[in-house]
Amino acid sequence: MSGKQINTKMQEGAKEFQNLHNNSLVLSEDSILSEYFITMMNKIFDPLPVPFILLDKDSRVRMINQVFADYLGFSKKEIIGKPVLEVDKYSRFPYVFKTKKAEIAWKHTFENGHTAIVHRLPVLDENGEIKYGVGMVLFEDLHQFRDIIEKNKLLETELYLYKNQLKEMHGAKYSWDNIIGNSEKMSAAKFIGRRASQTNSNVLILGESGTGKELFAHAIHNDSVRNFSPFVKVNSAAIPSELLESELFGYEEGAFTGAKKGGKIGKFELANGGSIFLDEIGDMPLKMQAKLLRVLQEKEFERVGGNNIVKVDVRVIAATNKDLRQLIDEGKFREDLYYRLNVMTIEIPPLRERHGDIGELVSILLNKLSNQLGKYVSNISENAMEHLIGHSWPGNVRELENVLERAINLTDSDTILPVHLPIYLKQHTRRIVDGPIRPLKDIIEDTEKEALARCLEYTDGNKLQTAKLLEISRSSLYDKLEKYGIS
């Protein structure tokens, strides 16, 4: 069957399916997967050479066309009515049903060893609840997929290059919506940031590592009149001092050994008309500070090895986690540069000064990390949250994200418990408000859970060895594991 014939069949099938689905709405809720409906689905999709499967809300297979059954190596009778994990233990449909989000063009290896590109689509009712799920195989093996990639290799390469150039030149990805927190200090920082975005003045962002200084820089650029112009990022501490000048201002051909033919433009030229984000400005060498000062004053510079003046219109957003006034006193930072940068100053509060934002941050980070890790964890126990709120967070939001990622990897349920948190975090927790001392029973249970989890981790899950190390019977170990929900 030709590609055109397949496309025609698919369109006819889709039209029939839509009519069938619309007509089924007048039936009872349970009749959506009735025998009549399944019979019609078989009539529509069995002739198609595209593997297709239909699941009910309990993840049981209600319909599969012949080509998909053949692909899996079973008869249709062996598949219909079974939970999808019994047909393919690697299926991600249970996770799709939990998240209620479609997975489009995913690479998937089936239990029989076949690797394919698949769609998984949850279908929701008017209340947002799962009604059924639809799966399709786009490419039955990766050879088909690779052939298409090879045929379009030149176009793909060009698109890749253009995409990376645009990403470098228009790299601002975040907005004010990405900055979480409504505590008094964070609200004040966002207020000043929004005001700064409406001007062309230079901005200096101060804050400890992990507080979100780069997020503010992105948001300021995206909310400014320069938002359609380049946003270029430079980490002053990450570039060797001997290369920093050529990186910022470019160089002419033959300027030094190893210089590219034709020279190279620098970050300031790339950012012309837009914004440049100079992170870790406190680590910039004094020699470079002098040249940067000239750019801020005169809006011009010379490339390394060149004599021509290059004029630029760039808005500078600088950030540092260091005390610039102290660096000035030590002779490590120019005072005149400080006053040039310190026009609009934003001080981002550390996480320990905005404990009221932790709950919202945890919720958003759990959702983000669950999607990244492919493991759905949406809840955190009250005791575990107390530990998070009571911690001083020297690493700020970055540390909180790392702690939550570790906890997601350790838990076997959809809930994070104190046992899944690092020991250092629980040992140094301080109470934010006065309250009654916790019952001794709760303290003992937390300690017991922590000991079990640590020992299992040490023995790589060997329960017999774990029981011996803890000097308890094996049956007692199993009882405790069941009690605390530890797998």
Side-chain angles (χ1 to χ4, degrees):
M1 188 177 288
S2 68
K4 186 175 181 181
Q5 290 172 318
I6 291 175
N7 186 49
T8 301
K9 281 279 189 182
M10 288 291 290
Q11 289 178 347
E12 291 173 356
K15 187 174 181 181
E16 279 195 64
F17 176 73
Q18 186 61 50
N19 290 335
L20 177 62
H21 183 272
N22 290 339
N23 291 334
S24 72
L25 294 178
V26 301
L27 304 175
S28 67
E29 181 68 24
D30 293 334
S31 66
I32 186 66
L33 293 179
S34 65
E35 291 303 319
Y36 171 75
F37 184 81
I38 299 301
T39 301
M40 290 301 297
M41 291 290 288
N42 279 306
K43 178 182 176 183
I44 295 170
F45 289 99
D46 238 5
L48 295 178
V50 178
F52 182 90
I53 192 170
L54 178 73
L55 310 180
D56 62 22
K57 62 184 179 181
D58 298 318
S59 298
R60 291 184 177 274
V61 180
R62 297 304 303 272
M63 178 268 168
I64 186 169
N65 63 355
Q66 190 62 52
V67 67
F68 204 167
D70 293 341
Y71 180 74
L72 294 174
F74 298 104
S75 67
K76 291 175 67 173
K77 189 176 293 185
E78 291 177 289
I79 297 174
I80 301 298
K82 284 188 175 181
V84 69
L85 289 178
E86 290 187 18
V87 179
D88 175 25
K89 67 181 180 181
Y90 301 122
S91 174
R92 285 176 54 84
F93 257 112
Y95 178 73
V96 169
F97 278 13
K98 279 187 177 181
T99 61
K100 300 179 183 178
K101 292 182 180 178
E103 293 184 344
I104 305 298
W106 276 60
K107 178 182 174 184
H108 180 72
T109 300
F110 291 90
E111 193 172 349
N112 60 12
H114 292 315
T115 299
I117 304 298
V118 303
H119 285 339
R120 302 183 190 91
L121 309 169
V123 180
L124 310 180
D125 62 19
E126 60 274 10
N127 297 318
E129 299 300 322
I130 293 291
K131 183 171 280 189
Y132 49 88
V134 175
M136 294 178 64
V137 175
L138 276 71
F139 300 98
E140 296 180 26
D141 60 64
L142 291 186
H143 295 296
Q144 295 177 330
F145 191 59
R146 291 193 186 102
D147 287 344
I148 291 177
I149 295 299
E150 287 297 321
K151 290 175 184 177
N152 295 279
K153 194 170 184 179
L154 179 61
L155 177 60
E156 181 187 8
T157 302
E158 290 178 353
L159 286 173
Y160 177 79
L161 291 173
Y162 290 137
K163 183 179 179 180
N164 277 276
Q165 288 176 359
L166 285 171
K167 186 177 180 181
E168 184 175 13
M169 295 185 67
H170 301 275
K173 299 181 293 183
Y174 307 109
S175 66
W176 297 115
D177 292 336
N178 299 112
I179 300 176
I180 309 305
N182 296 302
S183 60
E184 184 178 351
K185 290 188 176 182
M186 182 54 83
S187 296
K190 287 196 284 187
F191 174 79
I192 297 173
R194 288 178 185 275
R195 287 299 179 94
S197 65
Q198 304 307 309
T199 74
N200 276 317
S201 300
N202 297 323
V203 179
L204 179 61
I205 305 174
L206 305 175
E208 298 177 5
S209 294
T211 52
K213 296 187 292 295
E214 186 171 341
L215 288 178
F216 269 79
H218 281 252
I220 289 169
H221 175 80
N222 271 332
D223 197 27
S224 73
V225 295
R226 298 173 179 260
N227 61 338
F228 289 108
S229 299
F231 176 78
V232 178
K233 297 163 285 185
V234 179
N235 189 318
S236 306
I239 302 173
S241 57
E242 61 271 17
L243 299 178
L244 188 56
E245 182 175 3
S246 60
E247 189 70 21
L248 288 178
F249 305 113
Y251 56 80
E252 298 290 353
E253 182 177 341
F256 50 83
T257 303
K260 289 182 180 180
K261 186 176 181 180
K264 177 186 174 183
I265 64 173
K267 300 295 187 184
F268 268 88
E269 283 181 84
L270 282 175
N272 192 28
S275 306
I276 188 168
F277 174 50
L278 300 178
D279 199 7
E280 307 295 351
I281 190 73
D283 293 296
M284 182 175 284
L286 281 168
K287 179 183 175 183
M288 283 305 305
Q289 293 178 30
K291 193 155 188 176
L292 176 59
L293 180 62
R294 182 190 171 190
V295 177
L296 296 178
Q297 290 175 334
E298 309 297 335
K299 305 293 183 183
E300 63 183 31
F301 60 87
E302 297 172 1
R303 290 183 181 179
V304 175
N307 297 313
N308 296 325
I309 299 295
V310 179
K311 291 190 174 292
V312 289
D313 171 25
V314 177
R315 197 251 192 103
V316 173
I317 304 173
T320 183
N321 60 0
K322 296 187 175 180
D323 186 340
L324 293 184
R325 292 185 180 277
Q326 182 179 337
L327 292 180
I328 292 171
D329 293 339
E330 295 172 356
K332 296 178 180 178
F333 200 85
R334 294 181 62 110
E335 188 172 12
D336 46 4
L337 176 59
Y338 171 75
Y339 288 116
R340 276 285 175 183
L341 293 172
N342 191 28
V343 179
M344 297 290 289
T345 303
I346 304 170
E347 296 187 30
I348 305 177
L351 190 53
R352 63 181 173 275
E353 294 180 9
R354 53 187 190 105
H355 285 278
D357 294 333
I358 290 179
E360 186 180 4
L361 282 167
V362 167
S363 176
I364 290 172
L365 289 173
L366 283 180
N367 183 59
K368 170 190 169 183
L369 292 169
S370 291
N371 289 328
Q372 285 180 356
L373 301 174
K375 186 175 180 181
Y376 190 70
V377 177
S378 59
N379 301 313
I380 182 166
S381 73
E382 186 176 340
N383 286 346
M385 182 61 80
E386 284 181 6
H387 287 300
L388 297 184
I389 293 175
H391 185 52
S392 60
W393 298 111
N396 294 295
V397 179
R398 189 178 294 126
E399 182 188 0
L400 174 61
E401 185 170 357
N402 290 341
V403 166
L404 292 176
E405 182 173 351
R406 174 187 186 274
I408 290 174
N409 286 324
L410 289 178
T411 183
D412 291 311
S413 68
D414 66 348
T415 301
I416 293 174
L417 302 172
V419 69
H420 304 129
L421 301 178
I423 295 175
Y424 80 85
L425 188 144
K426 290 177 285 187
Q427 287 176 338
H428 296 94
T429 296
R430 59 184 179 84
R431 297 190 67 83
I432 302 304
V433 295
D434 293 332
I437 295 174
R438 292 179 62 211
L440 181 61
K441 176 177 173 293
D442 291 349
I443 297 173
I444 292 173
E445 286 184 351
D446 283 349
T447 305
E448 193 170 52
K449 282 188 286 187
E450 179 72 28
L452 288 168
R454 288 184 64 198
C455 197
L456 279 170
E457 187 176 359
Y458 176 76
T459 62
D460 290 329
N462 188 315
K463 294 183 177 64
L464 179 60
Q465 189 178 355
T466 298
K468 286 182 178 179
L469 289 173
L470 294 175
E471 297 183 1
I472 59 176
S473 67
R474 200 172 179 184
S475 60
S476 178
L477 174 65
Y478 279 102
D479 289 341
K480 292 179 185 297
L481 293 180
E482 183 178 358
K483 175 183 177 182
Y484 298 127
I486 300 173
S487 173

